[in-house]
Amino acid sequence: MTPRILAAGAAAGRRLVRTRPIPYGRHLITEEDIEAVVEVLRSEWLTTGPKVAAFEEAVAASVGARYAVSFSSGTAALHGAVFAAGLGPGDEAVTSPLTFCATANCLLYQGAVPVFADVLPDTLTLDPAEIRRRVTPRTKAILPVDYAGHPADLDDILALAEARGLIVIEDACQALGARFRDRRIGALSHMTVFSFHPVKHITTGEGGMVTTNYPEFARRLRMFRNHGIAQDPHERSTREPWHYEMVALGYNYRLSDIGCALGLSQLKRLEANIARRRAIAERYTAVWQGLPCIRPPTVRAGVSPAWHLYPIRLDLAALPQGRAGVFRALREAQIGVAVHHIPVHTHPYYRQRFGDQRGAYPVAEGAYEELLTLPIFHAMTDEEVSEVLAAVEDALRRASHPEG
Ligand SMILES: *Cc1c(COP(=O)(O)O)cnc(C)c1O
């Protein structure tokens, strides 16, 4: 993402003129990060060197999991987890429709079928009762999404999976650093998937990770991200020295040493990044929880979200100009609002492939109509937060009058 550029004159101490919007999210790169990357550029290894193992160990330790396997993106990591879980043609996995399309796409890559289940009205994460309704004899996995960084209802989901012998692949691409009942997200589900895209909590440019406590999943993940080539050192030592065996159809999904060096440096600031995001969320919520036209995001008891997004819900009955009116007014005020997410089953590809399921997930679809994502990122300044607060107040005032 391009950094916001302030017009010349800032250095001279004149008033700053905003020439780029405050984005909904963006990365922060320090001099220390740059030095860490440069060090790799001067080294023997650009890819699959010491930084990969070091970053994997650091992420595993950070989330409290036994294993962490890096991938070239969060999407590739999701694909790897679906492979490691053994899902194939005809198998079903229950997932949320209110997510980025990659969550469901990763099942299709392996020939498996995403079966959507509706979400809870407060957190907009998978509703365990709805999962139960959608489970069939073909169901092999549940893919909960930690929407906006708020953990899914993991107690119920893990109990349900246990009772039915299902594998839980948690899409925590929005939830690195979140806590559920005082435990880090990353070692609760069978596999947990993270993304290091620049809008997320730490970045490697592009990158992702699967964390797990199960050695067999870790082994399959490592094989899958390296063309399906078996990694067994015993096998190698008993054969010709050049021998290796490709035993499954894998991909080149490796994350480079360059990316991992950046990730290692960024990971040092994860706690600080989350703390900053939480402080911004608290400031927003304190102002907006009393307002009639806005519903701030819910935080359930015992949960500490990672605040990837700050999605509000608008009371459309009080806003004759609708969400589009509020959206337009905020974009005009240079506030980079967005909408997360267009329900996956409503995308043309999914409608063509699986039939038009619109209307089948009323909570997700209803929430989608009201959702608006406001800027939240760790580099956001107090002044930028104030600007957003003022712009939202103004936009709501304008949108609450009929047009014209
Ligand atoms: C960001 C994200 C992904 C994809 O991650 P990439 O690293 O961009 O491939 C998948 N699922 C969710 C919920 C995400 O937010």
Side-chain angles (χ1 to χ4, degrees):
M1 210 181 277
T2 324
R4 184 168 52 88
I5 294 171
L6 297 173
R14 274 174 272 143
R15 202 173 75 86
L16 299 181
V17 179
R18 187 173 296 290
T19 59
R20 292 276 178 91
I22 301 173
Y24 82 84
R26 66 157 301 199
H27 61 273
L28 173 67
I29 298 287
T30 65
E31 284 306 316
E32 205 183 333
D33 293 338
I34 292 167
E35 277 165 29
V37 170
V38 169
E39 186 196 310
V40 169
L41 292 176
R42 295 191 202 280
S43 79
E44 293 288 301
W45 302 92
L46 294 185
T47 191
T48 319
K51 297 296 180 193
V52 173
F55 183 46
E56 290 177 339
E57 278 167 30
V59 171
S62 165
V63 304
R66 287 175 69 191
Y67 307 97
V69 181
S70 60
F71 281 82
S72 52
S73 69
T75 303
L78 279 165
H79 187 185
V82 168
F83 167 82
L87 270 72
D91 293 333
E92 294 176 359
V94 181
T95 192
S96 170
L98 199 70
T99 183
F100 184 54
C101 52
T103 313
N105 291 352
C106 69
L107 293 160
L108 298 178
Y109 298 157
Q110 288 303 104
V113 180
V115 173
F116 298 109
D118 212 347
V119 296
L120 293 161
D122 59 345
T123 59
L124 305 181
T125 59
L126 264 182
D127 181 342
E130 291 297 313
I131 301 174
R132 248 173 238 115
R133 284 206 317 129
R134 304 284 177 178
V135 168
T136 76
R138 289 180 301 281
T139 308
K140 267 203 166 172
I142 306 172
L143 259 97
V145 177
D146 299 329
Y147 175 74
H150 188 295
D153 197 347
L154 293 172
D155 281 340
D156 269 13
I157 291 171
L158 292 170
L160 171 62
E162 174 82 37
R164 310 245 183 163
L166 307 176
I167 294 171
V168 178
I169 302 169
E170 184 180 348
D171 184 343
C173 285
Q174 305 185 349
L176 180 65
R179 285 171 184 273
F180 183 81
R181 306 217 186 292
D182 276 333
R183 292 181 62 192
R184 285 290 187 136
I185 289 297
L188 300 168
S189 300
H190 296 99
M191 285 179 272
T192 308
V193 181
F194 298 105
S195 163
F196 308 124
H197 182 277
V199 293
K200 307 277 160 78
H201 307 82
I202 64 166
T203 190
T204 58
E206 296 280 1
M209 190 80 80
V210 183
T211 58
T212 182
N213 280 337
Y214 298 87
E216 179 59 11
F217 288 146
R219 186 188 67 79
R220 285 176 64 80
L221 289 162
R222 292 211 170 88
M223 174 179 79
F224 188 73
R225 65 139 181 229
N226 192 33
H227 309 279
I229 293 172
Q231 302 275 297
D232 186 350
H234 175 72
E235 178 81 358
R236 287 193 177 188
S237 64
T238 55
R239 301 274 201 131
E240 303 86 345
W242 58 83
H243 185 81
Y244 66 84
E245 285 182 339
M246 186 201 127
V247 295
L249 184 61
Y251 293 78
N252 176 357
Y253 276 161
R254 297 186 303 261
L255 185 55
S256 71
D257 254 39
I258 301 170
C260 288
L262 180 55
L264 263 173
S265 181
Q266 290 255 319
L267 189 63
K268 293 181 194 156
R269 295 196 306 277
L270 175 62
E271 288 305 316
N273 291 352
I274 303 281
R276 178 63 191 148
R277 287 167 177 271
R278 188 182 310 122
I280 296 166
E282 280 168 2
R283 209 176 141 200
Y284 281 158
T285 300
V287 174
W288 291 329
Q289 67 191 351
L291 288 190
C293 333
I294 287 189
R295 179 134 62 99
T298 312
V299 178
R300 283 201 170 185
V303 162
S304 177
W307 294 111
H308 166 57
L309 304 171
Y310 190 91
I312 58 166
R313 288 163 71 182
L314 299 170
D315 178 2
L316 299 178
L319 299 164
Q321 294 188 32
R323 173 177 59 179
V326 179
F327 189 98
R328 223 179 300 115
L330 284 166
R331 280 286 178 93
E332 275 165 23
Q334 301 277 52
I335 308 299
V337 284
V339 172
H340 293 89
H341 298 273
I342 295 169
V344 179
H345 65 283
T346 68
H347 284 297
Y349 180 84
Y350 278 85
R351 294 209 311 266
Q352 278 152 25
R353 186 153 168 186
F354 297 102
D356 196 338
Q357 297 180 55
R358 280 178 294 189
Y361 312 99
V363 181
E365 291 169 41
Y368 163 69
E369 298 295 330
E370 304 169 347
L371 280 167
L372 189 66
T373 301
L374 295 166
I376 192 165
F377 48 96
H378 35 271
M380 197 173 179
T381 64
D382 287 338
E383 292 70 39
E384 287 171 325
V385 176
S386 299
E387 273 187 66
V388 172
L389 285 165
V392 166
E393 195 183 303
D394 190 50
L396 288 178
R397 196 172 340 100
R398 283 159 60 188
S400 60
H401 295 300
E403 213 130 14

